[in-house]
Amino acid sequence: MGLAWLVDPAAGRLHTDYRRPVPKQAYDCRRNLQGLGHNSGDGDLTHKCRFPGSGSNFTKIQAQRENIWTGLTDFEAASVLSWLFERSDLNLATINDARGWDNTMSELIELMVPNKTDSLKFINHGGKAPPRYAHVVINHRATAQPYFADILVGPLPIVNQTTQWLPLEYPYTRKAQGRVRNVNPDEHLIRNKWLLNISTSVADITLDLWNATALGLANDSISILGIDPLSQENDRVTRWDQFWNNPIGEFDDASLLPLGLYVHSDVTGRDPTKWKVLGWLYNNVFYPTTDSFRNAFYSSGFEKLKANIDGVWAHTDQRGKVLPHDRSYPPVSVAPSGSRFAVDVKQKWVEWMDFTFYIGFSRDTGIALHDIRYKGQRILYELGLQEALAHYAGNDPVQSMTAYLDTYSGFGPHAFGLVKGYDCPAYATYLNSTFYQNETTHTHTHSICLFEYDADNFMQRHSSYTDVSVTKNVYFTVRSVSTVGNYDYMFSYSFYMDGSIRVDVRASGYIQSAYYAHNEDFGYQIHDALSGSMHDHVLNIKADFDILGLNNTIQLTHQVPTTQTFAWSNQTRNTMKLKYSHIENENESRFNWDANSATQVKVINMDEMTPYGEYRGYRILPSAGTIHLTVENSTNLRNAAQWANYDIQVTRHHDTEPRSAHSKNSQDVEDPPINFDEFFNGENLTQQDLVVWLNLGMHHIPHTGDLPNTVFTTAHSGVVFMPLNYLLSDPSRETVNMARVNYEHGNVSSVVTFGQEDNQYA
């Protein structure tokens, strides 16, 4: 259901796809409201219609200003699409008509996020909003040297006399007219012809091993799939592919079914007649030709290994004896007086307690938060994901050569609707997300949730002989979940009454597994013929701090052991003390968390001090395991993920360095569009506009408890930004969500609730 516009490039119209139906009672309400004169295009109608668990009773407010990070409107995207199709110099074909050697706009049309310099003139000083431009990625395949091109189109709205397109170069370290090669332009041909031809050539062997073939037929029971990124060595593009059993049921568990046969091929260039098989690997023996593999296979003594076969062990439904008392409903959280925050749904502006911020959304990275303010002062200009890496290792070539850079697939298109009462509390407020793909504007309904939650630990507590004082730890969260391939990533941005901000990433879903043979050094055997495939998840987060202004400094407070004497004693004492230092420049601004958590990392403003002479600022501290990449000088990635090598990295802000990564970095790992190393050129970092790049993630060695799915409980990483000498006291004292119980002669004499009972159950 929902709006449906037919594809018509000449008319500049887009198909709009709503991926999750609105519940029937909400739809009936929407229809009734429309009959009363409400605009059918009003994205707020769902929130005017209450239904159980909708969380729709938040306060509706108007944002202080336009959300300049929110994205293109459907009309803007359609008009850009239409205008580009009219450019004869681009020679574009529609997706439906495109063939292998046609140029297409299948990649991206979205808002080019304005430069910070221009944005500050608007959000700080009330100037005009920055001009709007569309960022477009065109897949140029009408050439023997195919490439992706980033271009800008604008200014918007489209006016033929003033609108132009130009190469987008300034945000990238690679200066090549905004281009990067397309290392796999004939993916469809490789997948549906080349690999199937290879599989057909050994159909007798696969029938013998597994009673199965991969011939491109509807009844195929095995598949052949390969690595990412493709190997790029000495101007050759090669790939390793493995045979996998297909799931036999409805579950998405193919990544648990490797079969242990691998084929190596050279797919350099666009002429399939020049592609060739380079060899086979089975049971840790390499065969340089198909004939040599076949001869060995049919020779006496050839060892045939067992297969991984789909079954209940790989399925996510409930199985086994039901736990005692588990059929009863578990505890639930409720919001008895409704949501205690305000939202401008159209502008995606949120106000909770003393925090305000805007929500942005992009194809590559999903949600990001902008202009985060606390008590009216901006703390962070931007906070959000930059890239997510899953770097594998193993005895076999598929595991050893896999290093996923997930923005290639995109977190935005895979941020699907959230499950009420599971992904978020049932009372949460839900927002939609919109993105462009394949000449279509897609809207995923209820893909972002907003909610308050009462933590299972107090914000503050103290007992004495005369009273007990305790404060609830109520926090506010913005959340989305993106399922990229086999993994589900949950991103939560939480705000606390003590002024802290927390970023959490959790991972679940199916592991990418390895065949068990000869993999002992790289993982545990976890099923009959299955090994867990060790890998690192590293997720890069951008935190553009503005603490009491643009001029900030990184101060390190080291807690160090010391031996010294004091004026009150002539005896030396073994003790500890504080030692202060600053990150002076970009030559020393890439480092890891200290052992024993002995160093505090702080963003301070040296021009702003407390009455007691201490610098005001925010501390950055890990709250759950944080990691950087274990692999040193990755053979797979070369220069494509240089952001992954340290826990913390600090740069001086430049409009030309808005991202640490590019979604097409995997297409040229030697000279990618963004080589993060080039951000570091020795610039001074004392009282400058600073950006902190933080890595979250997990070292993951899958075990039997990862079957069928990894659990969020332990696959967790997080970081907290905590006010440190920023205010004169704990700001959570301002909340009324506290109580003081007074005692007299061993009995409760009074309970002070500070007014919270007035509205507790309204």
Side-chain angles (χ1 to χ4, degrees):
M1 61 179 288
L3 218 50
W5 293 342
L6 297 178
V7 175
D8 183 1
R13 307 190 76 183
L14 288 173
H15 172 77
T16 300
D17 177 18
Y18 286 88
R19 289 300 182 91
R20 176 178 169 185
V22 176
K24 181 179 184 299
Q25 60 267 47
Y27 173 65
D28 292 340
C29 169
R30 287 168 62 101
R31 184 173 54 191
N32 293 336
L33 284 178
Q34 291 166 14
L36 294 173
H38 290 271
N39 187 338
S40 62
D42 180 3
D44 193 33
L45 284 187
T46 299
H47 299 285
K48 292 186 174 72
C49 302
R50 297 188 180 189
F51 54 95
S54 71
S56 59
N57 55 345
F58 61 88
T59 302
K60 299 174 178 63
I61 55 172
Q62 184 173 345
Q64 295 175 344
R65 58 190 64 85
E66 175 189 352
N67 186 341
I68 56 177
W69 306 278
T70 189
L72 299 176
T73 66
D74 288 351
F75 177 79
E76 286 176 324
S79 62
V80 169
L81 181 71
S82 175
W83 187 85
L84 287 171
F85 271 116
E86 296 172 358
R87 308 275 75 76
S88 59
D89 51 338
L90 295 176
N91 189 26
L92 294 169
T94 64
I95 294 298
N96 290 338
D97 297 333
R99 293 171 295 181
W101 283 67
D102 286 330
N103 300 338
T104 63
M105 273 191 298
S106 60
E107 298 298 316
L108 177 77
I109 295 179
E110 70 179 16
L111 179 72
M112 182 65 192
V113 174
N115 294 332
K116 181 179 181 180
T117 302
D118 297 326
S119 300
L120 292 180
K121 296 175 184 176
F122 172 61
I123 63 177
N124 281 359
H125 307 296
K128 293 179 61 177
R132 291 171 65 82
Y133 284 83
H135 176 193
V136 180
V137 177
I138 296 178
N139 190 354
H140 285 268
R141 295 184 298 171
T143 171
Q145 303 294 327
Y147 60 93
F148 296 103
D150 289 86
I151 67 172
L152 280 180
V153 177
L156 303 178
I158 295 290
V159 178
N160 285 329
Q161 292 79 3
T162 58
T163 300
Q164 59 178 333
W165 76 265
L166 65 158
L168 177 58
E169 292 185 340
Y170 72 85
Y172 311 133
T173 60
R174 172 192 173 102
K175 299 302 180 184
Q177 295 294 307
R179 299 177 181 181
V180 61
R181 70 181 180 184
N182 183 347
V183 77
N184 195 19
D186 301 301
E187 179 183 6
H188 183 80
L189 181 63
I190 288 174
R191 185 174 61 249
N192 295 302
K193 188 171 183 180
W194 172 247
L195 292 179
L196 292 178
N197 286 344
I198 291 175
S199 179
T200 300
S201 73
V202 293
D204 57 320
I205 295 175
T206 63
L207 279 168
D208 190 304
L209 284 173
W210 312 305
N211 193 31
T213 56
L215 305 176
L217 304 176
N219 62 348
D220 282 352
S221 56
I222 60 174
S223 299
I224 181 170
L225 302 168
I227 60 171
D228 184 15
L230 299 182
S231 180
Q232 302 160 39
E233 296 276 355
N234 301 319
D235 296 325
R236 308 304 297 176
V237 177
T238 63
R239 56 185 298 133
W240 278 97
D241 292 275
Q242 177 177 201
F243 287 83
W244 303 75
N245 240 330
N246 288 344
I248 58 177
E250 61 184 304
F251 294 92
D252 185 30
D253 55 349
S255 63
L256 297 182
L257 306 174
L259 292 170
L261 174 60
Y262 312 89
V263 60
H264 193 203
S265 62
D266 187 323
V267 291
T268 306
R270 305 203 64 188
D271 184 353
T273 66
K274 296 182 179 180
W275 299 346
K276 56 185 178 182
V277 173
L278 300 177
W280 295 81
L281 181 73
Y282 187 76
N283 199 11
N284 209 33
V285 178
F286 179 75
Y287 305 94
T289 65
T290 304
D291 287 342
S292 63
F293 174 46
R294 177 173 281 105
N295 291 336
F297 183 83
Y298 287 111
S299 64
S300 62
F302 185 87
E303 183 183 6
K304 299 175 184 179
L305 304 176
K306 54 190 174 183
N308 285 297
I309 300 172
D310 194 12
V312 173
W313 66 275
H315 299 166
T316 55
D317 279 354
Q318 193 276 336
R319 63 177 183 268
K321 184 180 178 180
V322 176
L323 300 173
H325 315 296
D326 195 36
R327 293 194 186 278
S328 299
Y329 283 106
V332 296
S333 181
V334 298
S337 57
S339 300
R340 305 191 311 157
F341 55 89
V343 184
D344 183 328
V345 173
K346 181 178 180 181
Q347 298 295 339
K348 287 188 169 64
W349 187 66
V350 180
E351 179 184 73
W352 177 77
M353 301 302 164
D354 272 337
F355 284 102
T356 62
F357 56 86
Y358 291 87
I359 301 174
F361 190 86
S362 73
R363 178 263 178 206
D364 288 356
T365 59
I367 62 172
L369 307 185
H370 298 268
D371 196 24
I372 300 173
R373 298 186 183 227
Y374 178 58
K375 294 185 179 294
Q377 292 279 355
R378 183 166 55 252
I379 302 297
L380 289 148
Y381 173 78
E382 179 182 357
L383 177 63
L385 177 71
Q386 297 294 293
E387 181 60 278
L389 164 65
H391 199 302
Y392 286 75
N395 182 68
D396 71 71
V398 169
Q399 302 305 319
S400 181
M401 301 184 71
T402 294
Y404 298 119
L405 294 171
D406 283 334
T407 63
Y408 182 82
S409 299
F411 284 83
H414 299 100
F416 301 114
L418 298 165
V419 181
K420 295 181 179 180
Y422 289 85
D423 287 322
C424 314
Y427 58 80
T429 291
Y430 293 82
L431 303 177
N432 303 335
S433 60
T434 301
F435 62 95
Y436 166 92
Q437 192 175 57
N438 294 342
E439 294 163 17
T440 304
T441 293
H442 302 274
T443 294
H444 285 169
T445 61
H446 297 176
S447 56
I448 302 169
C449 69
L450 315 173
F451 61 91
E452 269 193 312
Y453 206 76
D454 188 354
D456 63 354
N457 60 285
F458 303 123
M459 178 73 71
Q460 166 273 336
R461 190 188 193 281
H462 181 66
S463 297
S464 72
Y465 290 108
T466 60
D467 63 76
V468 176
S469 172
V470 63
T471 305
K472 287 189 175 184
N473 188 5
V474 178
Y475 62 89
F476 177 78
T477 294
V478 181
R479 175 174 292 166
S480 72
V481 178
S482 291
T483 304
V484 184
N486 51 310
Y487 266 108
D488 294 58
Y489 292 98
M490 176 185 287
F491 299 94
S492 301
Y493 298 87
S494 299
F495 300 83
Y496 290 80
M497 289 186 175
D498 68 349
S500 295
I501 302 168
R502 177 170 172 150
V503 183
D504 286 284
V505 179
R506 297 180 185 266
S508 186
Y510 284 101
I511 63 169
Q512 175 176 299
S513 60
Y515 196 70
Y516 81 104
H518 311 284
N519 203 55
E520 298 86 357
D521 291 339
F522 301 93
Y524 307 117
Q525 184 169 348
I526 58 176
H527 206 255
D528 296 341
L530 199 67
S531 172
S533 183
M534 68 178 296
H535 56 283
D536 279 353
H537 292 284
V538 190
L539 300 100
N540 191 241
I541 303 294
K542 178 182 181 180
D544 184 344
F545 283 94
D546 290 344
I547 303 298
L548 301 168
L550 296 180
N551 297 330
N552 292 165
T553 299
I554 302 295
Q555 184 185 57
L556 305 179
T557 302
H558 312 273
Q559 190 166 318
V560 298
T562 185
T563 299
Q564 66 184 76
T565 59
F566 298 91
W568 47 267
S569 173
N570 58 7
Q571 188 177 24
T572 59
R573 303 187 66 83
N574 295 328
T575 182
M576 56 186 170
K577 68 177 182 180
L578 299 180
K579 180 181 178 181
Y580 299 94
S581 65
H582 299 92
I583 301 296
E584 301 287 349
N585 56 62
E586 290 178 344
N587 293 331
E588 55 189 50
S589 67
R590 308 175 84 173
F591 55 97
N592 299 323
W593 298 110
D594 266 1
N596 198 32
S597 301
T599 299
Q600 293 185 3
V601 179
K602 299 177 289 183
V603 184
I604 62 170
N605 189 326
M606 298 176 73
D607 297 325
E608 297 286 341
M609 304 183 79
T610 69
Y612 318 112
E614 301 290 350
Y615 296 128
R616 298 174 65 189
Y618 260 69
R619 180 185 172 190
I620 305 169
L621 65 160
S623 60
T626 61
I627 71 161
H628 58 274
L629 182 61
T630 303
V631 178
E632 297 179 355
N633 301 316
S634 169
T635 306
N636 298 340
L637 293 174
R638 314 284 177 80
N639 297 315
Q642 299 291 44
W643 50 266
N645 298 323
Y646 300 88
D647 296 335
I648 311 164
Q649 298 161 95
V650 185
T651 61
R652 187 168 167 178
H653 170 268
H654 292 287
D655 288 338
T656 55
E657 297 174 350
R659 288 276 311 276
S660 63
H662 188 284
S663 63
K664 301 298 186 293
N665 266 12
S666 63
Q667 300 298 293
D668 191 339
V669 295
E670 199 68 55
D671 185 18
I674 298 179
N675 181 348
F676 188 62
D677 275 353
E678 296 190 22
F679 285 27
F680 297 85
N681 51 15
E683 286 188 291
N684 179 271
L685 298 179
T686 302
Q687 289 301 93
Q688 303 291 339
D689 189 359
L690 301 183
V691 180
V692 180
W693 313 84
L694 297 157
N695 282 325
L696 305 183
M698 319 99 190
H699 300 304
H700 193 181
I701 308 174
H703 60 104
T704 52
D706 285 292
L707 297 179
N709 277 181
T710 295
V711 295
F712 276 145
T713 314
T714 52
H716 175 207
S717 182
V719 65
V720 171
F721 309 136
M722 180 193 93
L724 192 147
N725 292 322
Y726 186 79
L727 301 170
L728 294 182
S729 64
D730 169 16
S732 71
R733 298 306 85 221
E734 297 171 0
T735 180
V736 299
N737 295 138
M738 65 171 72
R740 177 163 46 83
V741 181
N742 297 319
Y743 297 98
E744 188 173 324
H745 306 301
N747 298 312
V748 174
S749 60
S750 64
V751 178
V752 183
T753 56
F754 305 98
Q756 65 172 307
E757 75 276 14
D758 293 346
N759 299 307
Q760 190 169 8
Y761 298 107

